Amino acid sequence: MIIARILGTVVSTQKDERLEGKKLLIVKPINLDGSDQSGYLVSVDTVGAGFHEKVIVVGGSSARLAEGNKDCPVDSAIIGVIDSFDFVK
Amino acid sequence: MQIARVIGTVVSTVKNEALEGRKFLIVETLDADLKPKGKPTIALDAVGAGVGELVFWCRGKEASFPFKRDSTPTDCTIIGIIDSDSHVLNKG
């Protein structure tokens, strides 16, 4: 999993019906010091993440194991809002 | 699977309910000479690993196997703690 921040949202009315009712957020992977990494992901929000929050994002087929993603064409899901993290380097 | 060093922890109360009671650890993957490589990532702990310990992880869908396989959204899980740095014999 990666640490990411919320960059924005995606609104799509014409989409695979299995994505109905799912919140699609744009997330930006970040480093431990908070600086941005390259790239972004469109990720299904399964925990109601807010804009200012840092989140945990799971990728690959494991994203389908998140609540409600069982048979969905999804390879990225937000599975947790980060309260805090600490590390020694 | 690859070897990694546990370098930190992540606290997340609002999370997928299958992850209740599970520990998120920050890991830094190492090469065969135990030198860091790549960016630190988050792994779910399945064996009680702590910060500073040498571990190895399993990635992909199999990462959920130590838990409820079909409903634990993890793509990286620590599945073993290496006894010590010297318990990695790399004959080069």
Side-chain angles (χ1 to χ4, degrees), chain B residues 31-54:
Chain B
D31 63 23
D33 305 318
L34 305 187
K35 299 271 177 309
K37 73 173 186 152
K39 298 186 180 99
T41 55
I42 297 178
L44 211 56
D45 176 33
V47 289
V51 174
E53 288 196 299
L54 203 61

Side-chain angles (χ1 to χ4, degrees), chain B residues 25-80:
Chain B
L25 295 174
I26 303 175
V27 293
E28 186 167 51
T29 296
L30 309 178
D31 63 23
D33 305 318
L34 305 187
K35 299 271 177 309
K37 73 173 186 152
K39 298 186 180 99
T41 55
I42 297 178
L44 211 56
D45 176 33
V47 289
V51 174
E53 288 196 299
L54 203 61
V55 296
F56 58 99
W57 44 251
C58 165
R59 286 217 314 228
K61 189 149 188 228
E62 292 70 21
S64 67
F65 285 18
F67 312 106
K68 279 199 235 105
R69 286 166 61 152
D70 308 332
S71 61
T72 309
T74 169
D75 61 21
C76 182
T77 298
I78 294 169
I79 53 164

Side-chain angles (χ1 to χ4, degrees), chain A residues 1 59 79 81 83-84 88-89, chain B residues 7 11-14 28 42 75:
Chain A
M1 283 76 75
I79 54 154
V81 174
D83 301 335
S84 64
V88 290
K89 226 14 226 319
Chain B
I7 63 168
V11 176
S12 167
T13 25
V14 174
E28 186 167 51
I42 297 178
D75 61 21

Side-chain angles (χ1 to χ4, degrees), chain A:
Chain A
M1 283 76 75
I2 59 168
I3 299 177
R5 68 182 174 90
I6 313 279
L7 206 56
T9 60
V10 163
V11 176
S12 160
T13 24
Q14 193 170 332
K15 59 192 172 192
D16 184 294
E17 81 260 3
R18 281 172 290 251
L19 292 178
E20 281 309 325
K22 296 206 184 311
K23 208 166 89 176
L24 300 172
L25 295 182
I26 306 174
V27 296
K28 159 72 78 174
I30 58 171
N31 294 303
L32 293 180
D33 60 10
S35 57
D36 282 357
Q37 291 179 5
S38 60
Y40 73 93
L41 291 162
V42 175
S43 194
V44 171
D45 177 15
T46 69
V47 288
F51 246 88
H52 50 279
E53 285 162 326
K54 290 193 177 74
V55 290
I56 302 172
V57 179
V58 66
S61 59
S62 310
R64 280 189 294 108
L65 303 179
E67 195 50 45
N69 286 352
K70 197 159 179 317
D71 298 319
C72 297
V74 159
D75 68 359
S76 177
I78 296 169
I79 54 154
V81 174
I82 294 179
D83 301 335
S84 64
F85 64 90
D86 53 70
F87 61 98
V88 290
K89 226 14 226 319

